[in-house]
Amino acid sequence: MHNILLTPGDGIGPEVMDATQRVLGWYGQNRNFGYTLEEGLIGGTAFEKTGRSDPDDTIEKAKKADAVLFGAVGGPQWDSLPFAQKPERGLLRLRKDLELFANLRPALCFDALKDASSLKPEIVSGLDILIVRELTGGVYFGEPKETTTLPDGQKRAVDTQVYTTSEIARIARVAFELARLRGNRVASAEKSNVMVTGVLWREVVSKVHKEEFPDVQLAHVLADNCAMQLVRNPKQYDVIVTDNLFGDVLSDEAAQLTGSIGMLPSASLGAKINGKQAALYEPIHGSAPDIAGKGLANPIASILSFAMCLRYSFGRVEDAVLLEKAVERVLADGYRTGDIMQPGMNQVGTTAMTDAILKALAKLSA
Ligand code: IPM
Ligand code: MG
């Protein structure tokens, strides 16, 4: 029995989570997938109900769960909350407390969507890259992180970029291991020309490569150049490994290459300890407050995040592939939510898109 925690959160989070729950139900009924569900409050919604965006109760439930399916957090109504109470704290605390240091963000361009990208179709068709983002270190969590007032009355804000050898080595290993299962190439992105953390990053990645993964092809690239190469010739990349902040930026950029950020899933994984591995799966789009509650959200990123959950947490590779194929099928059949709409296609909302995916699952598995 798989123990799954749902944290729908804010904005379109609950809508895409409902859609995903229907897919879960389908796997329960048709693929012998045994699971129990719990729900946890997170983000602005949690703040409204409990006074905190990162309730202890949710963190505890998440620690016990085999996997967390996460929706989204944030919205304009919480923009003026003090920093420590912002909806994003909920997500950041989950990442930190569960030690989810490895964030896998695949950017895959579905053939049916190659014309939906803002880049020329020949640049993105067949694109399949995996960004491996370090998720529990760097400037997101480094101390000091503070705003002080100087004697002359102006303010001074500090964020701190910190990395240790072991933090870099463990994310590098994840990237090399995953590369072996795909194109066997890793590009490591940092700013070793201006940051000492970048110098250390390059040294440690090189050492891990030399000692443990000499069979994998490794290239070092400066993060700014990587950003440029991603729009110039993204298919040169297989796996990109990078730190928390560069990974945040580069993964949004990579997402847009595929046509819409509404398409991309992600997995955040901890270390495997005694066969157990903390894991959180989340669409990389945010809470999209402008379309929240309207039934318009694209549920595909959330549904594909569940496919990643099947693959990485439950070892159900066949079931994951089935779900990915079902998504491919509905796109090929012309179903489009507003964010990926193209002329001549069939525009649908969240529910109809999910209906179509469930139908495709039934057909493909018959
Ligand atoms: C992401 C998001 C988060 C981040 C926010 C919501 C805190 O942008 O997962 O990419 O910056 O990591
Ligand atoms: Mg981001």
Side-chain angles (χ1 to χ4, degrees), residues 69-80:
L69 299 183
F70 187 94
V73 287
Q77 64 270 54
W78 301 295
D79 275 354
S80 55

Side-chain angles (χ1 to χ4, degrees), residues 105 133 140 248-249 251-252 284:
R105 299 190 160 188
R133 168 187 176 192
Y140 273 63
D248 181 45
V249 175
S251 62
D252 264 29
I284 91 157

Side-chain angles (χ1 to χ4, degrees), residues 73 88-89 91-92 95 103 105 133 135 140 244 247-248 251-252 266 282-284 286:
V73 287
E88 289 77 9
R89 300 315 304 171
L91 175 58
L92 294 172
R95 289 176 179 169
N103 185 212
R105 299 190 160 188
R133 168 187 176 192
L135 202 61
Y140 273 63
N244 204 344
D248 181 45
S251 62
D252 264 29
S266 76
E282 104 189 79
I284 91 157

Side-chain angles (χ1 to χ4, degrees), residues 215-274:
D215 53 300
V216 180
Q217 203 180 312
L218 170 67
H220 299 284
V221 56
L222 295 175
D224 53 343
N225 184 23
C226 184
M228 187 269 278
Q229 295 296 338
L230 272 174
V231 285
R232 193 184 73 89
N233 174 22
K235 284 187 266 182
Q236 69 185 285
Y237 293 122
D238 177 29
V239 173
I240 297 175
V241 64
T242 190
D243 80 5
N244 204 344
L245 183 60
F246 295 140
D248 181 45
V249 175
L250 294 176
S251 62
D252 264 29
E253 189 188 2
Q256 178 54 29
L257 300 176
T258 70
S260 163
I261 196 165
M263 298 293 300
L264 291 205
S266 76
S268 304
L269 306 173
K272 246 186 212 136
I273 302 165
N274 300 326

Side-chain angles (χ1 to χ4, degrees), residues 2 24 30 55 72 81-82 139 163 181 188 192 207 211 213 244 250 256 264 266 311-312 319 344 348:
H2 304 305
L24 260 161
N30 299 283
L81 281 183
V139 76
Y163 273 108
L181 304 173
S188 168
S192 55
K207 185 159 186 276
E211 289 174 0
F213 302 91
N244 204 344
L250 294 176
Q256 178 54 29
L264 291 205
S266 76
R311 178 177 278 116
Y312 291 108
D319 280 335
V348 294

Side-chain angles (χ1 to χ4, degrees), residues 10-27:
D10 309 328
I12 60 170
E15 294 161 74
V16 299
M17 196 57 82
D18 281 349
T20 307
Q21 219 178 308
R22 292 178 62 201
V23 174
L24 260 161
W26 187 88
Y27 274 86

